[in-house]
Amino acid sequence: MHHRKYRFIIGFLIAPLALYVVFVVSPNLQAVYYSFTDWSGYSQGQNFIGFDNYVRLWHDSDFWHALRNNGLLLAVLPIVTISLGLLFAFLINIGGRRRGAIATGLRGSRFYSAVYFFPYLLSVAIIAVLWQQSYNPQGGIVPKTMSAIGIDPPADGLLGSPSTALWACVGVALWQGVGFYVVLFSAGIASIPRDIFEAAALDGVNRIAMFFRITLPLLWDNVQVAFVYLGIIALDFFAIGNIMTPHPEAIGNSTEVIAHYLFTQAFSGDANPRFGYASAIGVALFFLTLTLAAVMFRVSRREKVEY
């Protein structure tokens, strides 16, 4: 009987495991191998050069500049996105008051949730193109709005100025991503028994204390996952940056990130593409992401709050 059960389980696992090995494990192992070669990506020959690509990477100032930009994104994007998501979700679900009940949502909360979530439904490419036009210094809605309220936009536009280009891209990422976390945290708040909020209200707990002492601890598992996911996005940040600022070297590499630097090394369009070196960058990015996930799970670990 036990053998039949195991055969049944193994039969279901073989196909997905085989697909995972072919499409995930195998390409990653190939990338590790290529990182030890001087392969151009198009030639038949692949000369083994040991750790030369990694030594070059260690002394590559452009790589470290890209890593610094990823570090800035890592420090800003997860914290701001999660903070806004928690704030909006709390206001939508606990921000209303009706017949003295404090645990009611705002009137029209479903509408607000749909509005917040809508940008997440759009393709990242579409969003990047739309905002690129909105940032256009020649008639874009953003510089026009800034001028209307008395703020002088940069002469070359927000995307053309080294001091503002990265933050303009971050603003688009926030606009696009916050809605998902509003819905995620709203679902978490909806699973918390309303009796907890009502009891706190009867004890005279204000909304700020209710958020930090009740809502946030009970949503911590959601917040932990969100931190890891957004950290991975911050270490990637390829699509928005590549579309909105396809030539970061023209603005002092202010929007250059590791993923885009990898892309330019592999598909630079010059006579000497460097797939081997790009593979070394990819391996470095993989271990950075793995380390980040492990550290975030370790740092944000807490005892589970039961209710």
Side-chain angles (χ1 to χ4, degrees):
M1 187 68 181
H2 290 289
H3 294 294
R4 290 182 180 178
K5 180 179 72 173
Y6 290 135
R7 284 200 300 266
F8 179 78
I9 295 174
I10 293 172
F12 272 96
L13 289 178
I14 287 177
L17 283 176
L19 291 173
Y20 183 80
V21 169
V22 171
F23 294 106
V24 178
V25 176
S26 176
N28 279 280
L29 292 177
Q30 290 181 45
V32 173
Y33 169 74
Y34 292 143
S35 70
F36 293 104
T37 69
D38 62 354
W39 186 42
S40 68
Y42 301 100
S43 62
Q44 294 293 330
Q46 300 172 8
N47 299 316
F48 185 81
I49 59 174
F51 288 92
D52 287 1
N53 284 325
Y54 292 97
V55 172
R56 175 184 174 184
L57 185 65
W58 181 260
H59 296 93
D60 190 343
S61 60
D62 290 334
F63 171 78
W64 290 105
H65 186 84
L67 181 60
R68 182 182 68 84
N69 288 337
N70 279 113
L72 290 174
L73 292 169
L74 189 59
V76 174
L77 191 61
I79 294 175
V80 177
T81 303
I82 291 174
S83 298
L84 291 175
L86 284 170
L87 174 63
F88 294 150
F90 183 78
L91 293 176
I92 288 173
N93 291 274
I94 314 295
R97 182 185 293 272
R98 184 175 55 192
R99 296 179 182 177
I102 197 170
T104 58
L106 292 174
R107 182 176 299 177
S109 57
R110 292 185 179 179
F111 170 76
Y112 294 128
S113 298
V115 169
Y116 288 134
F117 191 70
F118 177 74
Y120 193 79
L121 300 177
L122 299 176
S123 167
V124 175
I126 293 174
I127 290 173
V129 171
L130 288 175
W131 277 97
Q132 186 183 45
Q133 296 303 313
S134 299
Y135 284 138
N136 191 331
Q138 305 298 326
I141 188 172
V142 174
K144 280 187 174 181
T145 303
M146 293 175 65
S147 299
I149 61 177
I151 301 175
D152 293 329
D156 295 327
L158 292 170
L159 294 176
S161 173
S163 61
T164 59
L166 181 63
W167 305 118
C169 294
V170 170
V172 175
L174 290 172
W175 179 83
Q176 189 262 344
V178 165
F180 174 81
Y181 297 97
V182 171
V183 174
L184 175 67
F185 297 142
S186 293
I189 292 174
S191 68
I192 300 174
R194 285 295 183 266
D195 294 344
I196 296 177
F197 295 108
E198 301 297 343
L202 292 174
D203 288 339
V205 177
N206 59 40
R207 291 179 188 270
I208 296 176
M210 190 177 294
F211 174 80
F212 286 103
R213 295 183 181 181
I214 298 176
T215 308
L216 186 58
L218 294 178
L219 289 180
W220 190 251
D221 288 344
N222 303 68
V223 173
Q224 184 185 51
V225 172
F227 258 112
V228 174
Y229 183 62
L230 284 165
I232 294 172
I233 292 176
L235 282 180
D236 181 11
F237 208 74
F238 174 77
I240 291 179
N242 185 50
I243 295 173
M244 298 183 69
T245 57
H247 303 289
E249 67 277 1
I251 47 176
N253 284 329
S254 60
T255 59
E256 184 71 279
V257 292
I258 297 175
H260 184 268
Y261 187 57
L262 183 157
F263 174 79
T264 57
Q265 293 301 304
F267 306 101
S268 57
D270 58 21
N272 187 29
R274 296 175 287 270
F275 269 60
Y277 186 55
S279 297
I281 298 173
V283 172
L285 180 59
F286 169 78
F287 281 106
L288 282 172
T289 305
L290 190 65
T291 303
L292 170 71
V295 169
M296 282 192 166
F297 274 123
R298 178 66 178 175
V299 170
S300 59
R301 181 181 299 174
R302 290 186 180 182
E303 293 186 7
K304 188 174 182 179
V305 179
E306 301 289 347
Y307 53 86

